[in-house]
Amino acid sequence: MQDLIFPPSFQWGVATSSYQIEGAVSEDGRAPSIWDTFSHQPGKVDNDDTGDVACDHYHRWQSDLDMIKGLGVDAYRFSIAWPRVQPLGSGAWNPLGLGFYDRLVDGLLERGIAPHVTLYHWDLPQALQDKGGWAARDTVQRFVDYALAMAERLGDRAASFATHNEPWVTSVLGNQTGLFAPGLKDPVIARRVAHHLLLSHGMALQAIRAAGVKTPLGIVLNQSPATPATSSAEDIALAAREYALFVRWFAEPLLLGRYPEAPDLPICEALQPGDLETIAQPLDFLGINYYTRIWSSTSNPPVPAPHACGTSDMGWENYPEGLTELLCGLKRDYPLPPIFITENGMANRDVVIDGKVDDQPRIEYMRTHLQAVKAAMNAGVDVRGFFYWSLMDNFEWSSGYAKRFGLFHVDYKTQVRTPKESAHWYRRLIEQQPSA
Ligand code: FCB
């Protein structure tokens, strides 16, 4: 593990999100989110799984926090379920929901773990979707009110606030391909949604700072480099376009205050004067979620990616070098704030045998991706921390419970959590780091 020694101040963490782990969807005043509605529609999620119970974290949070502490991590990234704290997305606050996150944050601090809060990890209150969701400009103000209230409530204790998790996913998978909630298939709506997400991020940062909250503020983007499958002009052009839509469409307004322009890129008709200045608020950090690269092939059938390091159970190519490539490319193209790898991990077909889960492919994935992070740091990229996705197996959106990303295996019948070999490996790796 000698090649995996990081600076003493480097933050080691694990990540989860509310709808994927909490369950208790109709308890203590929580109202439905778009994911409750979506997952209950037959055929939308593999096996028709829903987040109704998930990992039952809402009831088991104390032992889950003990489990996190046992890993020896410095930091935990989780999200707040908006419909738990403000059930209708506007108006009344729910004291029971607010109390849950108060206790969670305090419980983390008692255990010496820094709470990194994501405000929006996809569980929009259904009541707001009924009024147009993120396609409606009014939802921007609703989010700003919610974000400000959370920042004022938890800002004295949280280590950071990220406004959005992966706006590309909300926009494209939620509103263009319809694979995720709310399940719309309209590219024009998807562009509006993307713009409103970014605008709500910028306005939330302005409001939180104006209120005097000093907690570091940022956003989390899912990003990948795009590799042309061949050296043909067509494949090169496709890779450039895919990179523009996946990475530049979000990075550029945030970091340069403009949308990428090219004749074949869509225009954003929701853009109003002043929006870009609002979006481009200074970031205290940028979160990057990285899983795989984009492989751009115009051939029919497509030229297959090489898959030299294997694939995950999601079918995604393991491509650690892509993380170095991505981070160095971002540093080349943009003025960057400090970076956190807010998600990285792999789904594996894990089974418990004699109380053990021998997930060597995951250990290999983590090892090679951490090496890739180090390579980027050696090249001058300012990476401050790494959060493994995920703490435990959970509701993997439209893949349901079949895909397991956790360091802890979850038996959904008994809710028993079993540390996988990768959990032991991660704990040993963290133990070996120089102390701060
Ligand atoms: C990311 C999501 C996260 C998880 C991983 C596998 O896109 O942010 O919730 O599902 O993928």
Side-chain angles (χ1 to χ4, degrees):
M1 289 188 183
Q2 278 315 308
D3 53 341
L4 291 179
I5 298 296
F6 285 71
S9 60
F10 195 81
Q11 294 282 296
W12 296 91
V14 283
T16 63
S17 87
S18 46
Y19 189 71
Q20 295 180 274
I21 65 166
E22 285 180 1
V25 290
S26 42
E27 255 174 80
D28 291 346
R30 180 188 180 278
S33 75
I34 55 174
W35 268 97
D36 295 273
T37 310
F38 185 78
S39 65
H40 278 268
Q41 289 167 24
K44 298 293 187 193
V45 175
D46 290 353
N47 194 40
D48 285 338
D49 288 341
T50 74
D52 288 2
V53 178
C55 306
D56 195 33
H57 171 75
Y58 189 72
H59 299 117
R60 295 167 194 265
W61 64 272
Q62 285 172 302
S63 46
D64 285 343
L65 295 195
D66 291 340
M67 194 165 90
I68 299 173
K69 185 173 166 58
L71 285 171
V73 293
D74 309 297
Y76 175 51
R77 172 175 181 249
F78 65 95
S79 76
I80 294 177
W82 186 353
R84 209 182 272 295
V85 296
Q86 192 186 33
L88 301 181
S90 62
W93 300 96
N94 175 21
L96 296 175
L98 292 167
F100 173 71
Y101 295 107
D102 271 333
R103 289 192 296 280
L104 189 70
V105 165
D106 290 342
L108 285 164
L109 293 175
E110 279 160 22
R111 290 167 179 81
I113 302 161
H116 289 262
V117 180
T118 303
L119 294 168
Y120 187 79
H121 201 127
W122 310 348
D123 36 7
L124 185 74
Q126 179 61 40
L128 290 184
Q129 188 62 42
D130 296 343
K131 295 181 187 155
W134 286 108
R137 200 167 164 110
D138 185 58
T139 299
V140 172
Q141 191 56 52
R142 300 286 73 74
F143 176 79
V144 174
D145 293 350
Y146 154 69
L148 178 60
M150 292 307 102
E152 291 191 313
R153 181 139 186 148
L154 302 175
D156 56 336
R157 290 163 288 158
S160 77
F161 291 106
T163 51
H164 289 285
N165 177 69
E166 304 189 349
W168 179 89
V169 170
T170 305
S171 155
V172 175
L173 299 189
N175 294 276
Q176 185 168 328
T177 66
L179 292 175
F180 280 15
L184 305 182
K185 294 183 183 163
D186 184 329
V188 175
I189 287 185
R191 279 301 118 202
R192 293 182 70 84
V193 166
H195 182 65
H196 290 156
L197 291 167
L198 291 171
L199 184 63
S200 75
H201 155 84
M203 284 174 61
L205 261 55
Q206 285 178 327
I208 294 170
R209 285 181 178 142
V213 175
K214 300 282 184 251
T215 318
L217 305 176
I219 187 168
V220 172
L221 303 177
N222 53 311
Q223 301 211 319
S224 296
T227 312
T230 70
S231 54
S232 75
E234 292 77 15
D235 286 355
I236 291 171
L238 179 65
R241 182 179 154 82
E242 292 190 311
Y243 187 73
L245 289 172
F246 201 75
V247 173
R248 294 175 55 209
W249 196 271
F250 298 90
E252 265 166 53
L254 289 163
L255 299 167
L256 299 177
R258 63 166 199 230
Y259 279 112
E261 274 177 40
D264 62 341
L265 288 180
I267 51 152
C268 181
E269 41 80 47
L271 180 63
Q272 292 186 13
D275 284 0
L276 286 167
E277 291 74 18
T278 304
I279 292 170
Q281 296 305 304
L283 294 172
D284 297 317
F285 69 92
L286 175 64
I288 301 286
N289 295 352
Y290 175 81
Y291 289 93
T292 188
R293 67 171 157 185
I294 300 169
W295 181 255
S296 306
S297 172
T298 51
S299 317
N300 190 8
V303 175
H307 294 225
C309 301
T311 47
S312 75
D313 196 27
M314 297 297 281
W316 300 343
E317 181 196 7
N318 298 337
Y319 187 64
E321 300 90 322
L323 183 50
T324 316
E325 206 180 302
L326 171 76
L327 293 170
C328 292
L330 291 175
K331 181 173 159 64
R332 181 193 60 218
D333 296 343
Y334 306 111
L336 289 182
I339 303 282
F340 284 85
I341 305 303
T342 33
E343 289 182 26
N344 175 245
M346 79 173 279
N348 188 51
R349 295 225 174 129
D350 299 316
V351 278
V352 185
I353 299 170
D354 297 332
K356 280 192 165 182
V357 181
D358 192 12
D359 57 341
Q360 295 303 321
R362 178 172 292 105
I363 295 176
E364 184 60 11
Y365 185 97
M366 295 173 81
R367 197 178 62 73
T368 51
H369 284 77
L370 282 163
Q371 276 169 345
V373 173
K374 255 204 104 172
M377 291 168 74
N378 291 340
V381 184
D382 182 10
V383 186
R384 303 278 177 96
F386 176 90
F387 292 79
Y388 179 76
W389 182 273
S390 179
L391 165 66
M392 57 183 155
D393 297 339
N394 57 48
F395 177 77
E396 180 41 44
W397 308 114
S398 55
S399 307
Y401 295 102
K403 303 296 180 212
R404 295 179 177 272
F405 276 88
L407 293 177
F408 286 81
H409 177 277
V410 176
D411 177 332
Y412 294 105
K413 289 202 188 78
T414 60
Q415 290 294 345
V416 167
R417 282 88 157 116
T418 305
K420 303 178 189 177
E421 287 308 300
S422 55
H424 298 304
W425 180 87
Y426 198 40
R427 180 177 45 71
R428 286 197 302 271
L429 175 73
I430 296 167
E431 259 166 28
Q432 286 192 6
Q433 301 301 314
S435 50

